[in-house]
Amino acid sequence: MARIRDQLQPEIERAIRLHQAGRIADAEQIYRQVLARDASNPDALHLLGLIAHHAGQPKPAIQLMSAAIREAPKVPLYHLNLAKAYRAIGAEDEALASARRAAELAPTWPEALVELSACLRTAGKLDEAERTAREALRRHPNHPEALSALANALADLDRTDEAIASYQAALRARPGWGEAICNLGEAYRKLGRFDEAEKYLRQAIRLTPEIGNPRLNLAMILLAREDFERGWAEYEWRWRQIGVNPPAFGEPEWDGGDLGGRSILLFAEQGLGDTIQFVRYASLLRESRGAGRIIVECDRPLVSLIQTVHGVDEVIAEGDPRPAFDVRCALASTPYRFKTTIASIPNRVPYVGFDRDRAARWREELKLSDDVLNIGVVWAGSAVHKNDRNRSCRLADFAPLGGVANVRLISLQVGPSSQQLGDATFPIDDAGSRITDFSDTAALMSRLDLIVSVDSSPAHLAGALARAVWTIHPYIADFRWLLDRDDSPWYPTMRLFRQRRKGDWKAVMEAVTRELRPLAESADRRRPGET
């Protein structure tokens, strides 16, 4: 076997030269010819895996690279590229293990340390990611990828000014590097310095016109500025981000035209709140685009809620078998397909329903009284959200509301953050532990006077139900909440309370409390937002 591999080595080297020259098909043909003579040749297996990875086929890439490692377990390059392939499919633990192994085998190799830093970031180990990038720079000062890795870790740690300095250093080391320019623009966006952000993002677009990352970040700015015409078009570039694998469909994409009775699948590809926000377009598909059967595919906890939406004929959970349909559209693409402007947002509410029997049972179970304001509170969103540490707060931040007379606080919080109820220093009742799904939450919300929530799916649900909802936002709010507004054109019954200084939830809750007191003190309290 060793003699055969020695004989095949010139062929491997020729294929590598073709690979590096961009002649991928020719290189792949040679790799396969090598494997025909030596089925376990590790170089050929690894390099075929690399081709699959760059072609957006991470699963075959992982299989081929893993096979190469079984044959040659101490080659750091194999582990490095396997880590990248795992990271492409979101397999955080496997990616981190592979990156650690690459760094163990080659502790002074900057590329291994850079990839390890990236995997540590993805796994949420931000302090270690920073240390690893700094170790790479200690060994290799002014290494551009290491400077960029450090900047990425600092940006995730919300040390944005330091991140900007590190991105700028990376660009001095490698002028015209599109990825670093894009990340620099995104860092300025996170600081609210939108003019500078837009300048760098447009520069990145000129340098990397086929990559979606800078265009998506630009979309966030345009949409926040209410430039919907350009913003929704740029938002479609989310499918062409680095590391994003669009879902595969055999059916064509809907182009926004008349459907003429054809069936359409609306599918969720983002968070639960996004699904609730954009499912409103289902009724418009029937009313103005002649849709026949409308099918919605969403996360399982939303299925029973989405079944109440006017115009929706069938709801399936993601991963379940799909019925036949003619065309498809991502839910988050519906505003683009409808050419939605700030003036044409379809904001008739409510557009989701609730079970009235369950609502009556909630009132009885919680012994809700009309003598006080019954306020549902949510202080944390999903921990996997990339901006969760900014958008979520702590239950303790709601303490000022607990001090308002004639107010009863009821927790709608689910998930790990609900454990904070055990440390509450003010009266609050736990309903979240009894909530089964979003339909259950909707029924409960229908019997509350007000919902106060961070920017998460319950806030969207309350708005879609036409309940009074006060949403509290970090210093840089998500694009859908626009800029410097205290209302939302998406949800007429929603009020927005924004941080004026980064991380300052205290001032936000003081503003909420000031607005709440007159409602609680009113002798003939009319439920806020109720008609």
Side-chain angles (χ1 to χ4, degrees):
M1 180 63 71
R3 196 171 97 181
I4 293 174
R5 286 190 180 168
D6 288 342
Q7 293 172 350
L8 291 172
Q9 191 57 33
E11 290 297 294
I12 290 286
E13 292 172 0
R14 183 164 72 92
I16 289 173
R17 289 193 294 273
L18 291 169
H19 196 156
Q20 292 172 338
R23 295 172 60 181
I24 305 301
D26 293 335
E28 182 177 356
Q29 183 179 11
I30 296 173
Y31 297 146
R32 294 194 182 282
Q33 290 171 350
V34 168
L35 288 175
R37 295 181 60 190
D38 177 9
S40 58
N41 186 288
D43 285 332
L45 288 166
H46 165 253
L47 291 164
L48 272 178
L50 191 61
I51 288 175
H53 173 60
H54 289 156
Q57 301 170 344
K59 290 184 179 179
I62 288 167
Q63 292 171 349
L64 288 160
M65 292 176 185
S66 297
I69 288 170
R70 285 193 293 273
E71 291 298 314
K74 293 187 177 181
V75 180
L77 180 62
Y78 296 177
H79 293 277
L80 175 76
N81 286 327
L82 180 59
K84 292 179 179 179
Y86 274 128
R87 193 151 57 92
I89 61 170
E92 297 175 6
D93 294 341
E94 293 86 350
L96 182 54
S98 296
R100 286 196 191 280
R101 183 59 178 150
E104 288 169 1
L105 291 167
T108 64
W109 186 27
E111 284 76 9
L113 293 170
V114 166
E115 179 60 23
L116 177 56
S117 179
C119 290
L120 288 164
R121 281 182 57 230
T122 303
K125 301 178 185 294
L126 300 181
D127 292 332
E128 190 179 353
E130 179 191 356
R131 289 195 301 272
T132 302
R134 291 194 185 279
E135 175 63 14
L137 287 169
R138 185 184 70 80
R139 294 176 179 274
H140 304 274
N142 297 317
H143 189 282
E145 284 85 357
L147 286 164
S148 180
L150 175 60
N152 291 338
L154 292 169
D156 284 355
L157 286 163
D158 292 326
R159 292 155 59 186
T160 312
D161 289 324
E162 295 177 67
I164 286 172
S166 193
Y167 285 131
Q168 291 170 335
L171 288 168
R172 287 193 295 272
R174 181 183 291 176
W177 184 13
E179 181 182 341
I181 292 170
C182 172
N183 290 338
L184 178 58
E186 176 63 2
Y188 277 117
R189 187 185 75 85
K190 289 179 178 178
L191 288 177
R193 295 164 63 174
F194 293 139
D195 290 340
E196 291 160 286
E198 183 171 353
K199 179 186 75 172
Y200 285 110
L201 292 172
R202 291 194 181 280
Q203 184 182 347
I205 290 168
R206 289 193 296 272
L207 290 166
T208 57
E210 299 304 314
I211 302 298
N213 300 62
R215 290 183 178 272
L216 178 61
N217 292 336
L218 177 61
M220 306 296 183
I221 295 173
L222 297 172
L223 292 169
R225 286 174 162 170
E226 303 183 18
D227 184 352
F228 279 18
E229 182 177 359
R230 293 189 298 166
W232 292 125
E234 297 290 357
Y235 195 59
E236 290 299 290
W237 281 78
R238 68 191 184 277
W239 299 113
R240 297 174 69 175
Q241 295 178 83
I242 296 171
V244 169
N245 296 297
F249 289 94
E251 297 80 2
E253 186 174 7
W254 176 52
D255 62 4
D258 188 79
L259 285 162
R262 288 178 296 166
S263 59
I264 183 170
L265 173 74
L266 299 175
F267 66 94
E269 104 271 359
Q270 299 190 29
L272 302 172
D274 299 83
T275 300
I276 295 170
Q277 179 178 1
F278 297 126
V279 76
R280 69 183 69 207
Y281 284 90
S283 61
L284 287 183
L285 282 166
R286 181 69 45 77
E287 295 167 6
S288 66
R289 295 296 190 273
R293 189 167 182 79
I294 299 174
I295 306 157
V296 176
E297 179 182 274
C298 62
D299 292 273
R300 195 170 299 278
L302 284 172
V303 168
S304 60
L305 177 74
I306 302 303
Q307 287 171 341
T308 69
V309 175
H310 176 68
V312 173
D313 296 297
E314 184 175 356
V315 185
I316 59 172
E318 184 178 0
D320 286 353
R322 293 175 179 141
F325 59 92
D326 297 312
V327 294
R328 41 89 182 182
C329 182
L331 275 165
S333 292
T334 49
Y336 173 62
R337 295 301 179 192
F338 275 94
K339 297 181 172 27
T340 302
T341 67
I342 195 71
S344 67
I345 290 173
N347 59 4
R348 289 178 297 178
V349 291
Y351 58 85
V352 297
F354 61 90
D355 185 313
R356 296 187 179 276
D357 290 339
R358 181 62 182 123
R361 290 198 299 274
W362 270 120
R363 183 174 177 85
E364 182 179 347
E365 288 176 27
L366 294 175
K367 297 180 172 53
L368 297 177
S369 168
D370 292 333
D371 296 331
V372 297
L373 279 178
N374 298 293
I375 302 178
V377 298
V378 179
W379 57 89
S382 170
V384 301
H385 190 282
K386 63 182 180 180
N387 194 42
D388 189 61
R389 72 183 165 279
N390 288 317
R391 68 166 185 165
S392 292
C393 60
R394 295 187 60 80
L395 174 59
D397 294 311
F398 278 74
L401 275 66
V404 177
N406 298 322
V407 161
R408 181 186 178 188
L409 299 184
I410 298 170
S411 168
L412 307 181
Q413 188 69 51
V414 299
S417 295
S418 62
Q419 296 174 7
Q420 296 174 31
L421 286 164
D423 300 321
T425 59
F426 53 91
I428 181 169
D429 296 305
D430 175 22
S433 61
R434 287 180 264 176
I435 289 174
T436 57
D437 62 11
F438 278 83
S439 288
D440 209 20
T441 306
L444 173 53
M445 284 182 174
S446 74
R447 292 299 175 261
L448 299 179
D449 302 310
L450 174 67
I451 293 89
V452 180
S453 174
V454 295
D455 176 14
S456 65
S457 51
H460 287 274
L461 176 57
L465 283 164
R467 305 307 301 160
V469 52
W470 295 357
T471 311
I472 60 176
H473 293 279
Y475 179 63
I476 301 299
D478 192 71
F479 72 88
R480 75 199 69 224
W481 309 118
L482 312 175
L483 299 176
D484 300 322
R485 295 181 64 143
D486 61 6
D487 69 327
S488 169
W490 293 96
Y491 299 112
T493 63
M494 180 180 286
R495 290 187 60 184
L496 311 180
F497 294 79
R498 302 172 184 263
Q499 287 182 356
R500 298 305 172 188
R501 293 191 307 275
K502 188 175 177 62
D504 185 6
W505 289 117
K506 180 180 178 182
V508 172
M509 299 312 295
E510 287 174 350
V512 170
T513 303
R514 281 196 302 271
E515 295 296 314
L516 182 60
R517 281 199 178 100
L519 294 175
E521 293 170 358
S522 173
D524 57 342
R525 276 188 305 280
R526 182 192 182 96
R527 292 183 175 181
E530 186 172 82
T531 58

PDB file of all heavy atoms in Angstrom, residues 357-368 408 431 434-435 440 444:
ATOM      1  N   ASP A 357     -62.562  28.850  25.715  1.00  0.00           N
ATOM      2  CA  ASP A 357     -62.727  27.979  26.877  1.00  0.00           C
ATOM      3  C   ASP A 357     -61.431  27.940  27.690  1.00  0.00           C
ATOM      4  O   ASP A 357     -61.473  27.983  28.929  1.00  0.00           O
ATOM      5  CB  ASP A 357     -63.114  26.566  26.431  1.00  0.00           C
ATOM      6  CG  ASP A 357     -64.527  26.498  25.878  1.00  0.00           C
ATOM      7  OD1 ASP A 357     -65.343  27.404  26.201  1.00  0.00           O
ATOM      8  OD2 ASP A 357     -64.819  25.560  25.118  1.00  0.00           O
ATOM      9  N   ARG A 358     -60.308  27.832  27.004  1.00  0.00           N
ATOM     10  CA  ARG A 358     -59.035  27.820  27.719  1.00  0.00           C
ATOM     11  C   ARG A 358     -58.799  29.169  28.394  1.00  0.00           C
ATOM     12  O   ARG A 358     -58.274  29.233  29.515  1.00  0.00           O
ATOM     13  CB  ARG A 358     -57.877  27.500  26.759  1.00  0.00           C
ATOM     14  CG  ARG A 358     -56.507  27.448  27.438  1.00  0.00           C
ATOM     15  CD  ARG A 358     -56.452  26.347  28.490  1.00  0.00           C
ATOM     16  NE  ARG A 358     -55.175  26.300  29.185  1.00  0.00           N
ATOM     17  CZ  ARG A 358     -55.028  26.403  30.503  1.00  0.00           C
ATOM     18  NH1 ARG A 358     -56.109  26.567  31.282  1.00  0.00           N
ATOM     19  NH2 ARG A 358     -53.850  26.339  31.073  1.00  0.00           N
ATOM     20  N   ALA A 359     -59.197  30.254  27.738  1.00  0.00           N
ATOM     21  CA  ALA A 359     -59.051  31.574  28.342  1.00  0.00           C
ATOM     22  C   ALA A 359     -59.858  31.661  29.634  1.00  0.00           C
ATOM     23  O   ALA A 359     -59.389  32.202  30.650  1.00  0.00           O
ATOM     24  CB  ALA A 359     -59.498  32.654  27.359  1.00  0.00           C
ATOM     25  N   ALA A 360     -61.069  31.115  29.625  1.00  0.00           N
ATOM     26  CA  ALA A 360     -61.901  31.128  30.838  1.00  0.00           C
ATOM     27  C   ALA A 360     -61.253  30.301  31.943  1.00  0.00           C
ATOM     28  O   ALA A 360     -61.301  30.682  33.124  1.00  0.00           O
ATOM     29  CB  ALA A 360     -63.294  30.598  30.505  1.00  0.00           C
ATOM     30  N   ARG A 361     -60.643  29.179  31.558  1.00  0.00           N
ATOM     31  CA  ARG A 361     -59.977  28.355  32.572  1.00  0.00           C
ATOM     32  C   ARG A 361     -58.774  29.076  33.168  1.00  0.00           C
ATOM     33  O   ARG A 361     -58.517  28.974  34.372  1.00  0.00           O
ATOM     34  CB  ARG A 361     -59.564  27.007  31.969  1.00  0.00           C
ATOM     35  CG  ARG A 361     -60.747  26.091  31.655  1.00  0.00           C
ATOM     36  CD  ARG A 361     -60.310  24.650  31.488  1.00  0.00           C
ATOM     37  NE  ARG A 361     -59.362  24.471  30.401  1.00  0.00           N
ATOM     38  CZ  ARG A 361     -59.699  24.283  29.127  1.00  0.00           C
ATOM     39  NH1 ARG A 361     -60.988  24.262  28.772  1.00  0.00           N
ATOM     40  NH2 ARG A 361     -58.779  24.107  28.203  1.00  0.00           N
ATOM     41  N   TRP A 362     -58.044  29.819  32.324  1.00  0.00           N
ATOM     42  CA  TRP A 362     -56.924  30.602  32.856  1.00  0.00           C
ATOM     43  C   TRP A 362     -57.423  31.622  33.892  1.00  0.00           C
ATOM     44  O   TRP A 362     -56.806  31.808  34.941  1.00  0.00           O
ATOM     45  CB  TRP A 362     -56.206  31.351  31.730  1.00  0.00           C
ATOM     46  CG  TRP A 362     -55.090  30.614  31.073  1.00  0.00           C
ATOM     47  CD1 TRP A 362     -54.987  30.274  29.751  1.00  0.00           C
ATOM     48  CD2 TRP A 362     -53.878  30.137  31.682  1.00  0.00           C
ATOM     49  NE1 TRP A 362     -53.812  29.610  29.504  1.00  0.00           N
ATOM     50  CE2 TRP A 362     -53.096  29.518  30.681  1.00  0.00           C
ATOM     51  CE3 TRP A 362     -53.371  30.172  32.984  1.00  0.00           C
ATOM     52  CZ2 TRP A 362     -51.849  28.951  30.936  1.00  0.00           C
ATOM     53  CZ3 TRP A 362     -52.133  29.604  33.245  1.00  0.00           C
ATOM     54  CH2 TRP A 362     -51.382  28.998  32.227  1.00  0.00           C
ATOM     55  N   ARG A 363     -58.516  32.266  33.576  1.00  0.00           N
ATOM     56  CA  ARG A 363     -59.038  33.276  34.505  1.00  0.00           C
ATOM     57  C   ARG A 363     -59.393  32.631  35.844  1.00  0.00           C
ATOM     58  O   ARG A 363     -59.115  33.188  36.917  1.00  0.00           O
ATOM     59  CB  ARG A 363     -60.268  33.959  33.905  1.00  0.00           C
ATOM     60  CG  ARG A 363     -60.842  35.076  34.770  1.00  0.00           C
ATOM     61  CD  ARG A 363     -61.966  35.807  34.066  1.00  0.00           C
ATOM     62  NE  ARG A 363     -62.528  36.825  34.941  1.00  0.00           N
ATOM     63  CZ  ARG A 363     -62.054  38.056  35.076  1.00  0.00           C
ATOM     64  NH1 ARG A 363     -60.990  38.433  34.384  1.00  0.00           N
ATOM     65  NH2 ARG A 363     -62.610  38.924  35.902  1.00  0.00           N
ATOM     66  N   GLU A 364     -59.960  31.445  35.762  1.00  0.00           N
ATOM     67  CA  GLU A 364     -60.334  30.755  36.996  1.00  0.00           C
ATOM     68  C   GLU A 364     -59.099  30.243  37.738  1.00  0.00           C
ATOM     69  O   GLU A 364     -58.985  30.388  38.960  1.00  0.00           O
ATOM     70  CB  GLU A 364     -61.274  29.598  36.658  1.00  0.00           C
ATOM     71  CG  GLU A 364     -61.778  28.840  37.876  1.00  0.00           C
ATOM     72  CD  GLU A 364     -62.731  27.711  37.513  1.00  0.00           C
ATOM     73  OE1 GLU A 364     -63.180  27.681  36.342  1.00  0.00           O
ATOM     74  OE2 GLU A 364     -63.004  26.865  38.379  1.00  0.00           O
ATOM     75  N   GLU A 365     -58.174  29.632  37.013  1.00  0.00           N
ATOM     76  CA  GLU A 365     -56.980  29.069  37.651  1.00  0.00           C
ATOM     77  C   GLU A 365     -56.154  30.141  38.363  1.00  0.00           C
ATOM     78  O   GLU A 365     -55.636  29.923  39.465  1.00  0.00           O
ATOM     79  CB  GLU A 365     -56.109  28.370  36.598  1.00  0.00           C
ATOM     80  CG  GLU A 365     -56.670  27.064  36.086  1.00  0.00           C
ATOM     81  CD  GLU A 365     -55.803  26.491  34.979  1.00  0.00           C
ATOM     82  OE1 GLU A 365     -54.586  26.784  34.975  1.00  0.00           O
ATOM     83  OE2 GLU A 365     -56.334  25.768  34.110  1.00  0.00           O
ATOM     84  N   LEU A 366     -56.016  31.295  37.703  1.00  0.00           N
ATOM     85  CA  LEU A 366     -55.195  32.364  38.280  1.00  0.00           C
ATOM     86  C   LEU A 366     -55.998  33.301  39.179  1.00  0.00           C
ATOM     87  O   LEU A 366     -55.428  34.214  39.778  1.00  0.00           O
ATOM     88  CB  LEU A 366     -54.537  33.173  37.159  1.00  0.00           C
ATOM     89  CG  LEU A 366     -53.505  32.420  36.300  1.00  0.00           C
ATOM     90  CD1 LEU A 366     -53.021  33.299  35.154  1.00  0.00           C
ATOM     91  CD2 LEU A 366     -52.321  31.959  37.144  1.00  0.00           C
ATOM     92  N   LYS A 367     -57.307  33.073  39.246  1.00  0.00           N
ATOM     93  CA  LYS A 367     -58.186  33.921  40.052  1.00  0.00           C
ATOM     94  C   LYS A 367     -57.973  35.396  39.706  1.00  0.00           C
ATOM     95  O   LYS A 367     -57.746  36.247  40.576  1.00  0.00           O
ATOM     96  CB  LYS A 367     -57.953  33.671  41.552  1.00  0.00           C
ATOM     97  CG  LYS A 367     -58.301  32.235  41.981  1.00  0.00           C
ATOM     98  CD  LYS A 367     -58.062  32.015  43.463  1.00  0.00           C
ATOM     99  CE  LYS A 367     -58.579  30.674  43.939  1.00  0.00           C
ATOM    100  NZ  LYS A 367     -58.081  29.520  43.156  1.00  0.00           N
ATOM    101  N   LEU A 368     -58.069  35.674  38.417  1.00  0.00           N
ATOM    102  CA  LEU A 368     -57.850  37.040  37.942  1.00  0.00           C
ATOM    103  C   LEU A 368     -58.995  37.932  38.396  1.00  0.00           C
ATOM    104  O   LEU A 368     -60.164  37.549  38.342  1.00  0.00           O
ATOM    105  CB  LEU A 368     -57.748  37.058  36.418  1.00  0.00           C
ATOM    106  CG  LEU A 368     -56.569  36.267  35.829  1.00  0.00           C
ATOM    107  CD1 LEU A 368     -56.619  36.300  34.309  1.00  0.00           C
ATOM    108  CD2 LEU A 368     -55.242  36.833  36.326  1.00  0.00           C
ATOM    109  N   ARG A 408     -50.938  43.537  39.543  1.00  0.00           N
ATOM    110  CA  ARG A 408     -50.555  42.147  39.795  1.00  0.00           C
ATOM    111  C   ARG A 408     -49.684  41.672  38.639  1.00  0.00           C
ATOM    112  O   ARG A 408     -50.111  41.692  37.479  1.00  0.00           O
ATOM    113  CB  ARG A 408     -51.794  41.263  39.913  1.00  0.00           C
ATOM    114  CG  ARG A 408     -51.446  39.794  40.192  1.00  0.00           C
ATOM    115  CD  ARG A 408     -52.686  38.917  40.171  1.00  0.00           C
ATOM    116  NE  ARG A 408     -52.353  37.516  40.398  1.00  0.00           N
ATOM    117  CZ  ARG A 408     -53.213  36.510  40.274  1.00  0.00           C
ATOM    118  NH1 ARG A 408     -54.486  36.763  39.951  1.00  0.00           N
ATOM    119  NH2 ARG A 408     -52.832  35.256  40.486  1.00  0.00           N
ATOM    120  N   ALA A 431     -47.149  31.801  35.913  1.00  0.00           N
ATOM    121  CA  ALA A 431     -48.043  31.088  35.001  1.00  0.00           C
ATOM    122  C   ALA A 431     -47.239  30.352  33.932  1.00  0.00           C
ATOM    123  O   ALA A 431     -47.736  29.398  33.325  1.00  0.00           O
ATOM    124  CB  ALA A 431     -49.008  32.053  34.332  1.00  0.00           C
ATOM    125  N   ARG A 434     -47.004  26.575  33.613  1.00  0.00           N
ATOM    126  CA  ARG A 434     -48.212  25.847  33.226  1.00  0.00           C
ATOM    127  C   ARG A 434     -48.552  26.016  31.743  1.00  0.00           C
ATOM    128  O   ARG A 434     -49.509  25.429  31.248  1.00  0.00           O
ATOM    129  CB  ARG A 434     -49.396  26.315  34.072  1.00  0.00           C
ATOM    130  CG  ARG A 434     -49.345  25.822  35.515  1.00  0.00           C
ATOM    131  CD  ARG A 434     -50.540  26.311  36.299  1.00  0.00           C
ATOM    132  NE  ARG A 434     -50.226  27.515  37.045  1.00  0.00           N
ATOM    133  CZ  ARG A 434     -51.109  28.203  37.772  1.00  0.00           C
ATOM    134  NH1 ARG A 434     -52.356  27.794  37.828  1.00  0.00           N
ATOM    135  NH2 ARG A 434     -50.741  29.287  38.432  1.00  0.00           N
ATOM    136  N   ILE A 435     -47.766  26.850  31.045  1.00  0.00           N
ATOM    137  CA  ILE A 435     -48.028  27.094  29.624  1.00  0.00           C
ATOM    138  C   ILE A 435     -47.549  25.905  28.804  1.00  0.00           C
ATOM    139  O   ILE A 435     -46.432  25.413  28.989  1.00  0.00           O
ATOM    140  CB  ILE A 435     -47.331  28.391  29.170  1.00  0.00           C
ATOM    141  CG1 ILE A 435     -48.050  29.610  29.774  1.00  0.00           C
ATOM    142  CG2 ILE A 435     -47.300  28.495  27.651  1.00  0.00           C
ATOM    143  CD1 ILE A 435     -47.350  30.924  29.509  1.00  0.00           C
ATOM    144  N   ASP A 440     -51.798  28.272  24.143  1.00  0.00           N
ATOM    145  CA  ASP A 440     -52.059  28.422  25.572  1.00  0.00           C
ATOM    146  C   ASP A 440     -51.676  29.826  26.037  1.00  0.00           C
ATOM    147  O   ASP A 440     -52.414  30.470  26.798  1.00  0.00           O
ATOM    148  CB  ASP A 440     -51.265  27.364  26.338  1.00  0.00           C
ATOM    149  CG  ASP A 440     -51.921  26.954  27.634  1.00  0.00           C
ATOM    150  OD1 ASP A 440     -53.137  27.173  27.788  1.00  0.00           O
ATOM    151  OD2 ASP A 440     -51.211  26.404  28.500  1.00  0.00           O
ATOM    152  N   LEU A 444     -54.150  32.884  27.609  1.00  0.00           N
ATOM    153  CA  LEU A 444     -53.858  33.614  28.834  1.00  0.00           C
ATOM    154  C   LEU A 444     -53.752  35.108  28.568  1.00  0.00           C
ATOM    155  O   LEU A 444     -54.317  35.932  29.317  1.00  0.00           O
ATOM    156  CB  LEU A 444     -52.557  33.086  29.457  1.00  0.00           C
ATOM    157  CG  LEU A 444     -52.001  33.849  30.659  1.00  0.00           C
ATOM    158  CD1 LEU A 444     -53.047  34.026  31.744  1.00  0.00           C
ATOM    159  CD2 LEU A 444     -50.769  33.138  31.204  1.00  0.00           C
TER     160      LEU A 444
END
